Amino acid sequence: MGSDCGMCMNGFGFVQKGWVEKDLYTNNWEISKGEMATGKAAMYFLGNWVIPQVIGAGAASEDIGFFPLPYDNSGKYNAPLGSDYFIAVSKDSKNKELATAWVDFFVKESGYVEDSGFMPIIKSAESSISQLAEFQSFNPTLIESEATDPKFNEIANKAQIGIGTGDYVQEYIVADDLQAAFDKLNAKWKEAKTALGY
């Protein structure tokens, strides 16, 4: 890597080139999706649920694309697969047949999947959302998250690293020296792990 490595890795140079919002920390989704719909914002790193929301905010569907972000130059694409809320029939239900029929209707006929921008629940079904067809054309490997070891969260909490908040990611995007920022993070992790006896 050349001498500009830090700049390349540092938010891909987006911060230095002025391609990002001035305020990297505040979030107002209603304003953000309106900015995307009107062309004031160009790209989001988000899930497919965003598609109908941006279109609903006024964007023309043909102006919205969706693709798996390339993490390297291998030509292969990976994408995290996350679920929405789970729906099931309680084993204690006194109306299992009716409850099962409702779940079947909800996931297959209600329109919730399309309205929410989700991939079809039925594996053999094709999405009516053109952006998802575009996404699938890249043949990404969908990676489903696995439950983390409770020690992971315990160490993160002890080290005061906000894994679920993304605060540390924003800090690294604006860091002048990305390697120094990673070294600091690794040192905090190691100290917490040692303190907990792992």
Side-chain angles (χ1 to χ4, degrees):
M1 296 182 131
S3 60
D4 290 336
C5 169
M7 184 159 174
C8 294
M9 294 297 289
N10 185 351
F12 303 107
F14 283 25
V15 173
Q16 293 79 359
K17 293 177 182 178
W19 295 345
V20 298
E21 296 177 24
K22 290 177 183 175
D23 181 355
L24 295 175
Y25 298 97
T26 306
N27 177 31
N28 184 318
W29 176 236
E30 294 304 315
I31 291 173
S32 292
K33 67 183 175 183
E35 289 179 345
M36 173 65 86
T38 59
K40 188 174 179 183
M43 183 171 64
Y44 289 132
F45 182 54
L46 291 171
N48 44 302
W49 54 268
V50 74
I51 298 166
Q53 291 197 34
V54 172
I55 293 170
S61 179
E62 60 271 15
D63 291 339
I64 302 300
F66 189 71
F67 63 93
L69 186 70
Y71 288 92
D72 57 31
N73 293 322
S74 68
K76 296 178 182 176
Y77 298 94
N78 296 323
L81 181 64
S83 57
D84 193 43
Y85 295 104
F86 293 100
I87 299 171
V89 175
S90 171
K91 67 177 184 174
D92 298 321
S93 172
K94 293 181 174 42
N95 296 296
K96 285 183 183 169
E97 188 175 327
L98 179 60
T100 300
W102 183 85
V103 169
D104 194 55
F105 162 78
F106 183 75
V107 299
K108 294 179 181 175
E109 299 176 43
S110 72
Y112 173 78
V113 171
E114 292 80 12
D115 292 345
S116 301
F118 296 149
M119 295 172 72
I121 293 167
I122 309 300
K123 288 183 179 182
S124 61
E126 290 190 24
S127 176
S128 62
I129 300 169
S130 61
Q131 291 84 357
L132 290 182
E134 175 186 21
F135 173 81
Q136 292 288 15
S137 73
F138 291 92
N139 296 313
T141 299
L142 301 176
I143 302 172
E144 194 165 3
S145 62
E146 296 180 11
T148 56
D149 186 320
K151 292 178 184 177
F152 178 82
N153 291 329
E154 191 179 353
I155 294 167
N157 290 337
K158 179 76 173 171
Q160 297 184 343
I161 300 170
I163 298 294
T165 66
D167 292 347
Y168 68 99
V169 175
Q170 291 180 344
E171 179 184 335
Y172 298 145
I173 287 174
V174 298
D176 291 327
D177 184 340
L178 188 59
Q179 187 58 56
F182 283 146
D183 292 344
K184 179 182 170 186
L185 179 69
N186 286 332
K188 285 174 68 173
W189 185 270
K190 184 177 180 180
E191 183 181 340
K193 186 176 176 184
T194 301
L196 290 167
Y198 298 134

